[in-house]
Amino acid sequence: MNCSRWLPDQVFVYRHPVDMRKQIQGLAAIVSAHLDRDPADESLYVFINKGRDKIKLLIWHRNGFWLLYKRLEKQRFHWPDWFEDDALLLTHEQLDQLIDGYNLNGMRPHRQLSFAHSV
């Protein structure tokens, strides 16, 4: 099986905890209403619960949604907290690290600056 075709175009982490009873329709509604994005745009959307021990991933693939769910038995996910928007764009590598339990909060990049040349 060719797994590279499963890689999403973009990965978005939703900032706020959600009720894990939400299924595809409820999560797609959050993507549409709160992120102002099309949930079927082949991006991956990542959601966490309030206890930070459950995570859901929503992605559109060809003709339907995939909903992946992971529940940790004893530990918690380290949810990124350095952004103020409703969503944070992650790389595929950062998503892997987040799911594997790494704390992305300590791995923040430098802030981008604009160069202003004065004459």
Side-chain angles (χ1 to χ4, degrees), residues 4 6 25 48 50 67 74 85 89 99-100 103:
S4 64
W6 290 79
Q25 289 306 111
I48 192 87
K50 189 175 182 178
L67 182 63
K74 293 188 178 189
D85 294 334
L89 182 63
I99 292 173
D100 286 343
N103 188 344

Side-chain angles (χ1 to χ4, degrees), residues 24-41:
I24 291 170
Q25 289 306 111
L27 297 174
I30 290 173
V31 170
S32 182
H34 295 259
L35 304 181
D36 197 28
R37 297 188 55 85
D38 177 4
D41 67 0

Side-chain angles (χ1 to χ4, degrees), residues 3-4 12 18-19 25 32 41 45 48 59 66 81 97 115:
C3 292
S4 64
F12 292 95
V18 299
D19 183 342
Q25 289 306 111
S32 182
D41 67 0
Y45 297 95
I48 192 87
I59 187 170
W66 277 96
D81 64 4
Q97 291 167 344
F115 176 75

Side-chain angles (χ1 to χ4, degrees), residues 34-82:
H34 295 259
L35 304 181
D36 197 28
R37 297 188 55 85
D38 177 4
D41 67 0
E42 297 186 7
S43 294
L44 178 72
Y45 297 95
V46 185
F47 303 91
I48 192 87
N49 69 326
K50 189 175 182 178
R52 306 228 188 277
D53 63 340
K54 297 176 182 101
I55 194 170
K56 282 190 176 180
L57 308 166
L58 179 71
I59 187 170
W60 177 266
H61 179 253
R62 296 174 53 132
N63 58 357
F65 283 103
W66 277 96
L67 182 63
L68 297 121
Y69 173 76
K70 182 171 185 176
R71 181 187 73 199
L72 298 177
E73 294 301 323
K74 293 188 178 189
Q75 299 174 339
R76 302 286 180 256
F77 290 102
H78 300 283
W79 211 240
D81 64 4
W82 71 84

